[in-house]
């Protein structure tokens, strides 16, 4: 996971990798409105049990019940709430979300070149 501020915009990238037989996945978020990470002190594992994305439409359209991590006001754009759950929990609210996939570097290194 990496967090940067580039040209005045905050960006978070979360890389997911299961092994050479699965594609590498990068979840990229920009223009963050909320970021929280919780991890139990005894946890050393780093895996994901659940990933969910919830669309938060631009006001005045209603949001799903129970969303309180971002204060709602007229100036907000359309947002996405990303939640990753495993030994740690990551919650991110951002206005830009993109998901990229690529062949694992491990697999690419072992595949014969044509």
């Amino acid at each position: 996971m990496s967090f940067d501020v580039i040209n005045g915009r905050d960006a978070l990238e979360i890389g997911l990798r299961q092994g050479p037989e699965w594609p590498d996945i990068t979840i990229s978020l920009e223009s963050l409105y909320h970021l929280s990470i919780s991890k139990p002190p005894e946890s050393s594992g780093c895996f994901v049990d659940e990933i969910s994305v919830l669309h938060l439409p631009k006001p005045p359209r209603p949001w799903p019940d129970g969303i309180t991590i971002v204060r709602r006001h007229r100036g907000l754009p359309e947002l996405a709430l990303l939640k990753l759950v495993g030994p740690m929990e990551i919650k991110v609210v951002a206005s830009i979300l993109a998901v990229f996939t690529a062949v694992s570097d491990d697999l690419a290194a072992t595949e014969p070149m044509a």
Side-chain angles (χ1 to χ4, degrees):
M1 185 167 70
S2 67
F3 177 77
D4 290 306
V5 176
I6 303 166
N7 296 329
R9 294 180 70 174
D10 40 297
L12 174 71
E13 287 197 345
I14 301 168
L16 303 173
R17 174 176 235 177
Q18 185 168 339
E21 65 279 358
W22 295 88
D24 292 340
I25 297 172
T26 300
I27 302 171
S28 178
L29 301 116
E30 290 183 43
S31 298
L32 276 56
Y33 285 80
H34 173 85
L35 170 61
S36 66
I37 302 169
S38 63
K39 180 179 180 243
E42 70 279 355
S43 174
S44 62
C46 191
F47 56 87
V48 176
D49 288 322
E50 176 186 334
I51 299 175
S52 63
V53 176
L54 189 60
H55 175 245
L56 304 176
K58 183 177 180 175
R61 292 182 51 208
W63 282 2
D65 291 338
I67 304 299
T68 59
I69 58 177
V70 172
R71 189 177 66 81
R72 198 155 185 232
H73 57 84
R74 285 196 175 272
L76 283 178
E78 233 177 345
L79 299 172
L81 166 59
L82 173 76
K83 183 176 174 184
L84 279 85
V85 179
M88 65 172 34
E89 182 175 287
I90 301 170
K91 288 183 184 177
V92 185
V93 176
S95 64
I96 300 171
L97 179 138
V99 178
F100 303 97
T101 61
V103 175
S104 168
D105 288 342
D106 293 340
L107 186 60
T110 60
E111 289 289 310
M113 296 295 285

